[in-house]
Amino acid sequence: MEQNRAGVIIAEVGSVHDGSFGNAMKLIEVAAANGADIVKFQTHIAEAETLKNAPMPPYFSVEPRFEYFKRTAFTQEQWKQLKSHAEERGVGFMSSPFANEAVDLLEEIGVTAYKIASGEVTNIPLLEHVANTGKPVYLSSGMSNWEELDSAVSVLLSGGPLTVLQCTSSYPCPPEQVGLNVLEEMRDRYGLPIGFSDHTLGHAAGIAAAARGATAIEKHITFSRAMYGSDAANSMEPEEFKVFVQALRDTWTMATSEIDKNDIEKYREMKKIFQKSIVAAKKIYAGEVLEYGAIAFKKPGNGIPASRYREVIGREAKRPLAVDDTISFEDLI
């Protein structure tokens, strides 16, 4: 699951597949083809994680949660095939478990990392179960305060490598609620890699987070925002995701590539083209003492640089100069 790049991009499939195994397989292909490093699902076992009368979230209230989780679940064999399909296409496979039984299932298929969803941050038994696997964990923070996050981090630190993600549990998340300031607070508070789980509709938040030090960016992906389900409307379509991935790669390259501002040798010839030299602004006679009005500053920069004009003012012309003649120090007494 480790990446050789400056950051890792997670394509969140979630439940966009709507229970279709074929859609799930194809979404893996789409994520891989458009630059994702990891494809992430959600592993729901309805009987293990929710009561039948549990309320529905406001952004998806057309189908009871228990029935939705039941209908969209995959078998262990299907999960195994999904993982293999991802690995065959060169992307990591990760899922969010919502019950200990889901962790057991994911361990059976050999999942290499876990994502802790926002609603599970206070589910300490689940966190302990995940930590006991020793696998890398990405911890979302959407609905949690610092006290709850501190507790979750303390549990998960006993397991594998941990990355803490800033996330706002608003669908879609407006710009003023993104909370980029929390990224630095998380890094200072925990001394751990930080990331960003992006619930906005555009590109800006993820790119800004990458520029501010997020080394993992998670973004929902879908075939079309018109698809049925809880996540599709707030996801990126394939071509958008491709552009987003390239922008993130470029941002990480810029953030991790240093330049020496004094190393300008490569601009030697360009400077001659674009910078200014001191030239005669009028006809100048031999023996004439040059005043400011007698000189001008024009391209190319192959003569006395404009920055040295004070070394020319008050000097006597050694020879006559026509308008626009480039002045050299050899022309002056």
Side-chain angles (χ1 to χ4, degrees), residues 93-108:
F93 181 85
M94 182 165 65
S95 191
S96 294
F98 292 83
N100 286 357
E101 290 86 343
V103 177
D104 296 338
L105 184 156
L106 292 169
E107 284 297 294
E108 284 292 325

Side-chain angles (χ1 to χ4, degrees), residues 259-274:
I259 66 168
D260 180 355
K261 197 58 181 166
N262 285 321
D263 180 16
I264 58 172
E265 180 60 31
K266 57 183 171 291
Y267 302 122
R268 179 185 293 273
E269 295 304 314
M270 189 179 291
K271 284 166 72 72
K272 291 178 182 178
I273 294 172
F274 286 95

Side-chain angles (χ1 to χ4, degrees), residues 113-296:
Y114 288 93
K115 162 76 185 298
I116 302 298
S118 296
E120 303 301 317
V121 171
T122 59
N123 187 353
I124 299 302
L126 176 70
L127 303 187
E128 291 172 343
H129 205 47
V130 169
N132 286 336
T133 70
K135 306 285 178 64
V137 174
Y138 294 84
L139 172 66
S140 188
S141 62
M143 291 181 275
S144 303
N145 60 28
W146 286 118
E147 181 180 359
E148 292 167 338
L149 279 175
D150 290 348
S151 179
V153 168
S154 68
V155 172
L156 292 169
L157 281 176
S158 66
L162 177 61
T163 300
V164 185
L165 310 182
Q166 162 56 7
C167 173
T168 300
S169 295
S170 181
Y171 306 87
C173 177
E176 64 273 16
Q177 293 181 20
V178 166
L180 293 177
N181 62 295
V182 179
L183 291 168
E184 285 84 358
E185 293 181 55
M186 285 178 169
R187 183 168 49 224
D188 293 343
R189 192 179 188 94
Y190 301 125
L192 294 168
I194 57 171
F196 179 63
S197 182
D198 188 359
H199 291 165
T200 67
L201 291 179
H203 298 73
I207 294 167
R212 292 182 71 160
T215 59
I217 303 292
E218 180 184 52
K219 189 77 171 179
H220 288 262
I221 191 169
T222 183
F223 297 130
S224 167
R225 279 188 289 274
M227 289 181 68
Y228 176 82
S230 61
D231 293 331
N234 302 306
S235 300
M236 270 189 174
E237 295 178 354
E239 281 303 310
E240 296 173 308
F241 192 85
K242 182 178 182 179
V243 172
F244 183 59
V245 165
Q246 187 57 57
L248 286 173
R249 300 281 183 229
D250 291 345
T251 300
W252 277 320
T253 296
M254 289 183 272
T256 58
S257 301
E258 296 182 354
I259 66 168
D260 180 355
K261 197 58 181 166
N262 285 321
D263 180 16
I264 58 172
E265 180 60 31
K266 57 183 171 291
Y267 302 122
R268 179 185 293 273
E269 295 304 314
M270 189 179 291
K271 284 166 72 72
K272 291 178 182 178
I273 294 172
F274 286 95
Q275 294 187 348
K276 305 291 180 57
S277 297
I278 299 174
V279 302
K282 66 180 188 65
K283 183 176 180 180
I284 298 173
Y285 297 95
E288 181 178 343
V289 176
L290 273 62
E291 297 179 349
Y292 186 84
I295 61 174

Side-chain angles (χ1 to χ4, degrees), residues 311-327:
E311 298 176 44
V312 173
I313 301 301
R315 299 277 290 272
E316 184 179 326
K318 187 184 296 184
R319 66 177 181 87
L321 296 167
V323 173
D324 282 345
D325 275 357
T326 300
I327 299 174

